[in-house]
Amino acid sequence: TIPLESRQIWKKFSLGEFGDKQEFQQEFVRHVETSLARSLYNCDDLAAYQAASQAVRDRLVVAWNRTQQKHTLTDTKRVYYLSLEFLMGRALDNAMLNTRTKQYAREGVKDFGFRLEDLIEQEPDAALGNGGLGRLAACFVDSLASENYPGWGYGLRYEYGIFKQKIIDGYQVEQPDYWLTYGSSWEIPRNEISVDIMFYGYVRHYTDDEGVHRRCWEGGDVVRAVASDFPVPGYGTANVNNLRLWSSKPAQEFDFAKFNAGDYINSVSEQQRAETISAVLYPNDNFDSGKELRLKQQYLWVAASLNDIVRRFKKSKRPWREFPEQIAIQLNDTHPTLAIVELQRIFVDLEQLPWKEAWDLVVETFGYTNHTVLPEALEKWPVPMLENLLPRHLEIIYDINLYFLQEVEAKFPNDRELLSRVSIIEESQPQQARMAYLAIIGSHKVNGVAELHSDLIKKTIFKDFVAVYGGDKFINVTNGITPRRWLHQANPELSDLIASKIGSGFVKDLSELRHLEKFADDEDFQRQWMLVKHKRKEKLAALVKSQSGVVLNPDHLFDIQVKRIHEYKRQQLNILGVIHRYVELKQMSPEERRKMTPRVSLFGGKSAPGYYMAKTIIKLINDVGKVVNNDPDMFDSLKVVFVEDYNVSKAEIIIPASDISEHISTAGTEASGTSNMKFVLNGGLIIGTVDGANVEITREIGEDNIYLFGHLADEVEDIRHKHKYGGVQVGKKLQQVFDFIQSGALGDPEIYTSLLHSIKYGGDYYLVSDDFDAYLEAQHTINHDFKDTKEWARKSIVSVSRMGFFSSDRAIRDYAEGIWNVEPSPVEE
Ligand code: NBG
């Protein structure tokens, strides 16, 4: 309907891709001069970063619009990925690589005296997540876009991401991470897109014109959710998807009662409090804290997202029954489970659909991904809290539960035990709503994140539900990682070396790495391969030196464990092993010591602020570092480093530098792990337990290429039982380590008492004592193998060549085919 002439003029001035360096420079200068109101004479690295990123962002916005228009026009099925965490990291490098403009930008800024690498470093991480779960969501939005799926992420726009970690006197100290000091170049504020969200209030019963009894939730406090969009560019495609994050703002409605009573200041400050809802990310990984503010975050985000989704659907004028044909919603863990209840409320209370009809649509729409079996991580909300905050939702939960229990009763008559086991409502004091059960009941598919984990949930926490629904509802989708960020961007040296042999197709189709295997025995290639590794170890050494002053030798074996600090991840096993090695080395003559493989043990990761035991582990690592690094006997044998404030950007430096990385959780506790995939993809080998995705990594790369040790998942329960009733046997080697710590050699041993006691007298829940000797044995083999550089290089190359399966592109295709039933919808370039 728009006249051709208008369209032609528009097209003439519409922004295209950068065709060369000059086009980039033109935009760069324009942004410095106008957006930033600066000039060449006061353009520092930060301003240059901002101008560069805004120049790139402008292109993304145009492509973003085109993508959204196309999807609206063709009215294809869309996927919505609901995640309370998106651990995106930095955006500029990724955006330049995905749009293939990095070369122009590099040359472009060089003419003005800037190094592109320095500008990239100016960007603060968007650290809106805790660990693997949040980073998985970030990899998934990259793959959704790269695979041309019409897929949006929905989350919260926290003003404070995961805290910054300082290490002071060996202890973790948390500092707030206000990442928006200079705004974000990547954010498109959508102030016009807002949804009013209610909390508290009451349920009113009424009879409608047709005489039907209805309920309506009203009279509560209103908070406004306002949208911000972050474009997500695909790699090698014109598709740019959307990540929509909500902020809470005061609603327009003003408390006139207070205002008229003369309490102006208080009525404003009460409104202000609305903003606290989305202010800060809860800093717990794999732990449920059950706080009301967290429940408010969840509901605000879920209600705003569903309002948005339903509004978009209504525009298509389709009948409600087509809702699940047009929309798939994936629940990233149970955090967004209220979406199930909210959609049912929209259908029944607002759109007045019959319950059963509405419920079938709801179940067909949702899929639920479980990310943990740890009991302390499974979300439960106290019923009184729900009743107060979301009274209508609680009623709907009761009804969902009632109909479900009737179904169970019909299938298994007279099994009251079963009914109470599967009920959404746990009969505790106070009663609690078990969110995982609600998520299962309200979804058509439930998936775990690695084969072992998906099997385990069927046998343990969700066993009864397998009996009720049959096995088909429960499937596996093994996690993946995006090869763009975790190989191409983080390790351009390796990416280029690989491309020199097999071309660069693997960045898009990671399975092409298989063509690399034929070069595994090529000695020249092996040398080049190890040279890249050496370079990356130098780069990490430089980071460590600048941060802590500790000097690392890149010829030494780099043994790395970076991840959240958690007892189940067993950093304590690692550091106790390090102490054992130190004691052993101390007892040797200098000649003997020289024959041992020299090692660097590097740790990094955050502890939840309230997790005392994890904080003790951090202190122990730092205290060991202090002693070992200052011991002249160790100069050429051992270094122990704790890298402060581990985050996505540091991961990009650390991961390419490992010879060995540690993935040593107690078997059956780590659902998948994803850094294990990143390390192997970058040519590092793994020491690991038979847990999570380690199992599938082993299957793909071969057991000769991984150092597995320790008890198996199906032995763990028995061993715990034995610990409980027969006590814990601390072996000779571990006892030596305990004695050393207790001698005071690391400082006041009191500090570590609780940690050592939890093993020796506290039931050793994580099986440190049981796996200690096997762990040392595996490390011993590694020390031996590392000496044979050629063989090591061969293993490394073979492993990388077999990692194609672990691309998040594959994972996303699995979701698309097995759960969402959506098709790619590419936009023409
Ligand atoms: C984490 C698991 C990891 C897994 C990621 C992503 C939670 C609740 N779970 O093993 O601990 O890799 O999820 O699936 O954070």
Side-chain angles (χ1 to χ4, degrees):
T1 54
I2 294 169
L4 179 66
E5 199 195 351
S6 308
R7 276 184 284 157
Q8 279 170 338
I9 300 172
W10 192 276
K11 200 161 177 199
K12 188 169 143 205
F13 294 113
S14 171
L15 273 186
E17 293 281 300
F18 299 121
D20 54 33
K21 176 179 89 170
Q22 277 80 17
E23 283 179 18
F24 173 82
Q25 287 175 327
Q26 189 183 348
E27 289 295 282
F28 178 83
V29 170
R30 186 175 70 78
H31 275 297
V32 172
E33 291 190 330
T34 63
S35 311
L36 305 172
R38 291 188 183 218
S39 71
L40 181 57
Y41 300 99
N42 61 358
C43 182
D44 54 11
D45 277 359
L46 176 62
Y49 154 71
Q50 288 172 330
S53 56
Q54 286 177 36
V56 175
R57 179 203 88 137
D58 289 348
R59 267 68 199 169
L60 291 188
V61 172
V62 175
W64 179 95
N65 250 312
R66 219 170 272 152
T67 310
Q68 300 319 313
Q69 251 168 44
K70 146 113 194 188
H71 292 157
T72 306
L73 225 68
T74 51
D75 202 16
T76 51
K77 182 168 186 174
R78 285 185 163 106
V79 183
Y80 298 105
Y81 196 78
L82 267 57
S83 179
L84 209 38
E85 303 188 6
F86 287 92
L87 191 43
M88 303 295 284
R90 291 178 176 144
L92 176 58
D93 203 3
N94 180 252
M96 289 186 301
L97 286 168
N98 280 21
T99 55
R100 304 186 199 228
T101 50
K102 191 168 179 182
Q103 198 52 33
Y104 305 140
R106 173 178 285 122
E107 292 162 7
V109 299
K110 196 168 158 217
D111 289 347
F112 302 124
F114 296 106
R115 261 173 29 112
L116 187 60
E117 273 57 41
D118 297 336
L119 306 195
I120 289 171
E121 297 256 312
Q122 292 296 316
E123 184 176 356
D125 273 34
L128 311 184
N130 274 286
L133 176 140
R135 183 54 229 179
L136 184 76
C139 285
F140 278 5
V141 288
D142 179 274
S143 286
L144 277 166
S146 298
E147 293 288 300
N148 297 318
Y149 288 109
W152 283 32
Y154 272 113
L156 278 184
R157 181 184 172 280
Y158 305 111
E159 282 162 31
Y160 297 85
I162 188 68
F163 61 84
K164 285 203 186 309
Q165 179 193 53
K166 292 267 173 246
I167 300 295
I168 297 177
D169 189 25
Y171 288 103
Q172 166 175 303
V173 174
E174 300 91 22
Q175 288 182 352
D177 164 48
Y178 186 72
W179 67 291
L180 295 164
T181 308
Y182 303 102
S184 166
S185 308
W186 309 101
E187 173 171 20
I188 309 161
R190 290 286 192 198
N191 294 322
E192 73 284 8
I193 300 176
S194 71
V195 186
D196 284 352
I197 308 292
M198 191 160 73
F199 295 107
Y200 309 109
Y202 54 87
V203 180
R204 182 168 61 86
H205 293 237
Y206 68 101
T207 309
D208 71 8
D209 298 344
E210 271 113 72
V212 182
H213 175 229
R214 298 200 172 279
R215 289 171 229 208
C216 151
W217 175 35
E218 57 189 34
D221 297 354
V222 176
V223 171
R224 182 154 298 171
V226 181
S228 285
D229 289 342
F230 295 78
V232 180
Y235 177 83
T237 161
N239 280 50
V240 175
N241 280 347
N242 195 20
L243 173 59
R244 176 158 289 177
L245 304 181
W246 300 101
S247 305
S248 55
K249 292 273 148 70
Q252 287 301 306
E253 280 128 79
F254 202 75
D255 190 338
F256 279 103
K258 273 215 179 104
F259 181 66
N260 290 331
D263 201 358
Y264 171 71
I265 296 294
N266 270 329
S267 72
V268 171
S269 65
E270 220 161 88
Q271 295 281 307
Q272 280 313 113
R273 240 174 280 152
E275 310 212 358
T276 61
I277 294 178
S278 63
V280 49
L281 166 79
Y282 273 85
N284 301 316
D285 183 86
N286 263 296
F287 185 78
D288 168 43
S289 67
K291 294 276 190 297
E292 190 188 56
L293 181 62
R294 168 83 163 185
L295 185 58
K296 281 190 176 171
Q297 290 189 337
Q298 294 187 348
Y299 182 64
L300 178 113
W301 152 60
V302 146
S305 306
L306 270 178
N307 184 287
D308 213 35
I309 293 167
V310 169
R311 184 177 47 76
R312 204 168 294 126
F313 176 79
K314 278 179 143 180
K315 271 204 258 176
S316 76
K317 302 261 160 37
R318 290 170 183 261
W320 288 113
R321 80 181 130 73
E322 289 178 15
F323 195 85
E325 289 163 34
Q326 288 302 101
I327 291 161
I329 303 177
Q330 192 64 27
L331 306 174
N332 196 26
D333 215 320
T334 55
H335 315 147
T337 302
L338 282 172
I340 290 168
V341 190
E342 177 70 359
L343 186 58
Q344 182 71 1
R345 187 183 75 87
I346 293 172
F347 283 161
V348 172
D349 288 4
L350 307 184
E351 304 296 339
Q352 320 220 317
L353 264 59
W355 178 279
K356 175 82 172 79
E357 203 179 307
W359 183 246
D360 289 345
L361 298 178
V362 167
V363 174
E364 222 10 66
T365 301
F366 286 101
Y368 156 52
T369 306
N370 171 277
H371 293 269
T372 185
V373 296
L374 300 186
E376 66 272 27
L378 299 178
E379 283 192 303
K380 291 175 187 175
W381 290 111
V383 166
M385 194 190 283
L386 283 170
E387 188 165 27
N388 183 36
L389 193 69
L390 301 164
R392 178 61 183 137
H393 294 79
L394 180 63
E395 287 184 354
I396 293 172
I397 292 173
Y398 281 146
D399 285 345
I400 293 169
N401 199 34
L402 178 72
Y403 293 125
F404 170 66
L405 292 178
Q406 282 171 357
E407 230 180 280
V408 177
E409 165 85 73
K411 236 182 225 166
F412 304 91
N414 305 320
D415 192 345
R416 305 203 35 164
E417 287 286 301
L418 176 65
L419 291 181
S420 86
R421 284 205 306 274
V422 298
S423 171
I424 297 171
I425 307 299
E426 180 181 275
E427 294 301 331
S428 44
Q429 270 305 336
Q431 291 180 314
Q432 312 246 17
R434 304 189 264 219
M435 300 313 271
Y437 292 5
L438 178 53
I440 295 172
I441 296 164
S443 301
H444 66 289
K445 291 280 180 204
V446 176
N447 75 283
V449 289
E451 268 177 33
L452 177 74
H453 169 66
S454 299
D455 284 344
L456 263 176
I457 58 178
K458 288 210 262 181
K459 287 189 205 142
T460 59
I461 53 174
F462 301 151
K463 186 169 168 226
D464 291 322
F465 289 89
V466 175
V468 170
Y469 287 115
D472 291 352
K473 180 161 176 162
F474 296 84
I475 64 172
N476 171 248
V477 181
T478 300
N479 282 167
I481 56 172
T482 169
R484 269 74 66 185
R485 181 168 301 250
W486 297 114
L487 179 53
H488 192 50
Q489 177 189 322
N491 199 345
E493 298 86 350
L494 191 63
S495 182
D496 287 351
L497 178 61
I498 295 171
S500 75
K501 290 291 183 194
I502 66 169
S504 57
F506 64 92
V507 180
K508 184 116 192 123
D509 175 3
L510 199 64
S511 70
E512 287 196 12
L513 284 177
R514 68 183 179 278
H515 301 303
L516 203 63
E517 188 159 351
K518 54 177 171 292
F519 304 102
D521 291 308
D522 175 337
E523 288 191 16
D524 199 44
F525 186 61
Q526 288 175 352
R527 261 192 302 279
Q528 290 175 290
W529 189 264
M530 293 312 276
L531 211 65
V532 166
K533 183 58 81 181
H534 199 273
K535 259 198 191 155
R536 295 308 308 242
K537 287 164 79 174
E538 284 167 21
K539 187 166 177 183
L540 175 56
L543 174 77
V544 170
K545 170 99 198 299
S546 74
Q547 274 208 347
S548 64
V550 178
V551 178
L552 306 181
N553 182 342
D555 294 330
H556 294 179
L557 187 158
F558 277 25
D559 177 334
I560 300 180
Q561 188 175 21
V562 282
K563 49 184 83 229
R564 286 299 288 250
I565 312 292
H566 216 301
E567 285 166 283
Y568 89 81
K569 294 177 188 283
R570 295 204 295 190
Q571 283 91 355
Q572 70 276 39
L573 176 59
N574 183 343
I575 193 64
L576 293 170
V578 172
I579 297 172
H580 181 268
R581 184 160 182 85
Y582 175 59
V583 172
E584 213 177 36
L585 289 168
K586 274 306 262 187
Q587 288 162 354
M588 291 177 187
S589 69
E591 295 74 53
E592 282 175 308
R593 214 176 289 139
R594 256 194 296 282
K595 287 188 212 132
M596 308 297 285
T597 303
R599 276 173 162 267
V600 170
S601 272
L602 188 142
F603 295 81
K606 293 171 186 177
S607 157
Y611 190 172
Y612 176 77
M613 204 62 99
K615 288 188 148 177
T616 305
I617 295 171
I618 293 177
K619 171 70 173 157
L620 178 59
I621 295 167
N622 282 301
D623 287 351
V624 173
K626 208 159 116 193
V627 169
V628 170
N629 301 340
N630 290 309
D631 184 338
D633 289 348
M634 293 300 122
F635 275 8
D636 286 316
S637 303
L638 185 62
K639 286 264 151 55
V640 180
V641 185
F642 190 94
V643 176
E644 196 174 66
D645 199 40
Y646 178 61
N647 59 17
V648 171
S649 294
K650 284 190 183 156
E652 290 168 16
I653 297 170
I654 293 170
I655 289 172
S658 88
D659 296 304
I660 282 286
S661 65
E662 307 219 8
H663 308 275
I664 57 176
S665 49
T666 311
T669 62
E670 188 71 276
S672 161
T674 40
S675 77
N676 43 5
M677 303 166 189
K678 296 166 196 167
F679 278 103
V680 179
L681 187 61
N682 281 278
L685 303 185
I686 281 183
I687 179 168
T689 43
V690 184
D691 200 19
N694 289 355
V695 176
E696 286 149 274
I697 292 175
T698 307
R699 185 187 318 156
E700 294 292 311
I701 70 177
E703 29 183 11
D704 296 344
N705 298 317
I706 187 165
Y707 298 92
L708 293 179
F709 72 95
H711 288 87
L712 305 181
D714 58 12
E715 303 169 327
V716 170
E717 266 319 303
D718 279 352
I719 297 173
R720 282 181 181 157
H721 188 82
K722 270 188 217 143
H723 286 171
K724 205 165 166 186
Y725 296 99
V728 172
Q729 300 303 318
V730 169
K732 224 174 86 197
K733 290 180 173 155
L734 184 56
Q735 188 56 50
Q736 257 175 24
V737 174
F738 281 15
D739 292 344
F740 178 78
I741 295 172
Q742 270 150 355
S743 77
L746 298 172
D748 182 3
E750 273 292 299
I751 297 170
Y752 324 108
T753 306
S754 58
L755 180 63
L756 304 191
H757 273 234
S758 75
I759 297 169
K760 201 164 172 178
Y761 308 108
D764 191 11
Y765 191 75
Y766 297 101
L767 276 60
V768 172
S769 61
D770 309 272
D771 283 346
F772 192 67
D773 289 355
Y775 173 72
L776 294 182
E777 193 58 39
Q779 287 287 22
H780 184 75
T781 312
I782 290 167
N783 288 333
H784 171 264
D785 289 4
F786 188 67
K787 290 186 172 143
D788 185 347
T789 308
K790 274 194 227 159
E791 177 58 13
W792 190 273
R794 197 191 60 77
K795 281 179 195 264
S796 167
I797 298 164
V798 169
S799 300
V800 171
S801 75
R802 297 176 181 175
M803 284 298 285
F805 177 74
F806 299 100
S807 170
S808 48
D809 298 342
R810 184 274 312 150
I812 282 300
R813 286 193 300 269
D814 284 356
Y815 277 98
E817 285 157 27
I819 301 174
W820 303 332
N821 193 25
V822 295
E823 299 286 335
S825 176
V827 174
E828 280 128 52
E829 309 246 351

